[in-house]
Amino acid sequence: APAHASPVPPATAPAEHSRTMSASDRHHDHASRHGGALTDEVEAVSEEKQAELIRTYDAESNFRKLVGPVGLFVTTIAVILSSFHVYTAGFGLLVEITHRSFHLALVLGLIFLVFPRPVLPKATADAARAWAWSLVFTVFYVYLAWALVDRLATLGEVRNGAPFVAFIALVAFISLPFPQFGGTGDRVAWLDWPLAACAAAISGYFLVFFDDVFIARVGAPIAQDYMMGVLAIVIVMEATRRTMGPLLPAIGMACLLYALLGRHMPGILAHRGYSVDRVVNHIYVGTEGIYGIAVGVVATYVFHFVLFGILAQMTGLGRLFMDLATIVAGRFSGGPAKVSVVSSGLFGMISGSAIANAVTTGSLTIPLMKKYGFSARFSGAVEASASCGGQVTPPVMGASAFVMAELLG
């Protein structure tokens, strides 16, 4: 049978199936006649194309290529962050809130420098949708600031909150998708620096004023604490929008509005509502909101696995896993599909991203499966399933597994 013939459809009658060589048998016959050279005539996708695909389809991997002084600055911060986690892993963690604050101060600051601003789509409908999302978040940020100032004025803690509302409005404004703001490519826009500074400040505040916030006036925050809390909510939602799109922060916004406006909800959805200062205090101060379980798991466990995975990838271990999978499974019937499963499982040991896994291993295994008779749809499905499963291959690089384990105890 020719090597490029289509595989037998599942609905083929048994008699016909017995007379027709399956895709797996054709692979085995082809491999035998060609000395087992499984990857002959299969052109793998170049590393540049792989990087482009990952940046296109995996928003969390869409990094800027920073060079010059900015690249040196970001590299220095990344080295400090990595060294901090290596040190605490070997010599013990700091106080819980201090450890998480230092981690988040550097990580949030890096987000606005490393991740580009979203490109405004050229299609009118898509551009209108992007603007609609941005305006909704802007209105929410200003409303949250105004509600806090109004509440603090009622309690007699603030006399003039207009400057704070204006500051939050400015932060929201510079986050709007104006093409004139730039920052959609590899060059850091000048407006990204204030956002990075605010991102570092909200966690640095706890590092500088730890004794005041958590010892001297524990349980009795002042207006300054609440204002930093609103800024923290705004910055975290903007960082999430930049890395993952508008859906996840929109869910967070809906939950906050439900907490604040519960008394106005209909029927069984109604509740007495919570004051804005109570909501902000719960989210910002302590370890039940922004500095809660998710950040704690990442700062304590996940970061070390990710650091190991990145180092392994940069040293070419991913290609070693691909070659090893070919040696182990390539000689068997259905070998290309088995190579896909084994290589994706091995690659999952150094990467928790299913998309990066599919692009890196699939760039070779998908053409390989198609070459030996598997349909394009089936080949893509095998690779996608194997890459998703690779997240839970020990030592488990998928962050979601750590979060679930922490929540379930």
Side-chain angles (χ1 to χ4, degrees), residues 111-377:
I111 284 177
F112 292 101
L113 301 180
V114 173
F115 287 87
R117 288 170 174 261
V119 179
L120 192 64
K122 295 182 179 180
T124 304
D126 294 336
R129 189 180 300 110
W131 267 104
W133 275 116
S134 298
L135 292 175
V136 166
F137 283 108
T138 298
V139 172
F140 171 71
Y141 298 154
V142 175
Y143 164 75
L144 195 63
W146 171 83
L148 177 66
V149 166
D150 183 67
R151 173 68 176 174
L152 294 179
T154 302
L155 298 176
E157 296 188 24
V158 170
R159 293 185 179 181
N160 182 17
F164 175 69
V165 176
F167 175 73
I168 295 297
L170 178 62
V171 172
F173 175 76
I174 64 178
S175 300
L176 291 174
F178 285 107
Q180 295 82 357
F181 288 168
T184 56
D186 291 331
R187 186 173 181 179
V188 179
W190 68 272
L191 288 176
D192 287 334
W193 290 101
L195 293 175
C198 290
I202 58 176
S203 295
Y205 180 76
F206 287 151
L207 298 176
V208 176
F209 300 104
F210 178 86
D211 291 342
D212 294 328
V213 176
F214 295 103
I215 298 177
R217 55 174 186 267
V218 59
I222 60 176
Q224 180 176 302
D225 300 335
Y226 291 124
M227 291 179 178
M228 291 298 294
V230 169
L231 179 61
I233 294 173
V234 171
I235 292 297
V236 168
M237 293 184 73
E238 279 303 308
T240 308
R241 282 183 62 202
R242 183 168 294 201
T243 55
M244 303 187 67
L247 185 58
L248 185 59
I251 295 174
M253 177 177 63
C255 293
L256 288 175
L257 288 174
Y258 180 67
L260 296 172
L261 306 176
R263 66 178 67 90
H264 304 295
M265 295 294 174
I268 61 174
L269 295 176
H271 60 85
R272 66 176 185 176
Y274 296 92
S275 62
V276 64
D277 56 323
R278 182 176 178 182
V279 171
V280 171
N281 180 59
H282 179 81
I283 292 177
Y284 180 59
V285 181
T287 58
E288 296 180 340
I290 294 174
Y291 302 91
I293 290 177
V295 170
V297 169
V298 172
T300 306
Y301 305 108
V302 177
F303 187 91
H304 307 93
F305 287 92
V306 173
L307 180 61
F308 162 75
I310 294 297
L311 292 175
Q313 283 184 257
M314 297 304 293
T315 57
L317 195 57
R319 181 64 200 182
L320 172 63
F321 286 157
M322 177 67 71
D323 294 339
L324 181 61
T326 304
I327 294 171
V328 171
R331 64 181 183 273
F332 296 108
S333 179
K338 291 182 173 67
V339 170
S340 173
V341 174
V342 175
S343 61
S344 294
L346 292 174
F347 191 84
M349 296 171 63
I350 62 173
S351 174
S353 171
I355 295 177
N357 193 330
V359 170
T360 303
T361 61
S363 63
L364 181 64
T365 59
I366 292 176
L368 194 62
M369 285 186 277
K370 291 169 64 178
K371 174 187 174 183
Y372 286 97
F374 294 96
S375 68
R377 182 173 298 178

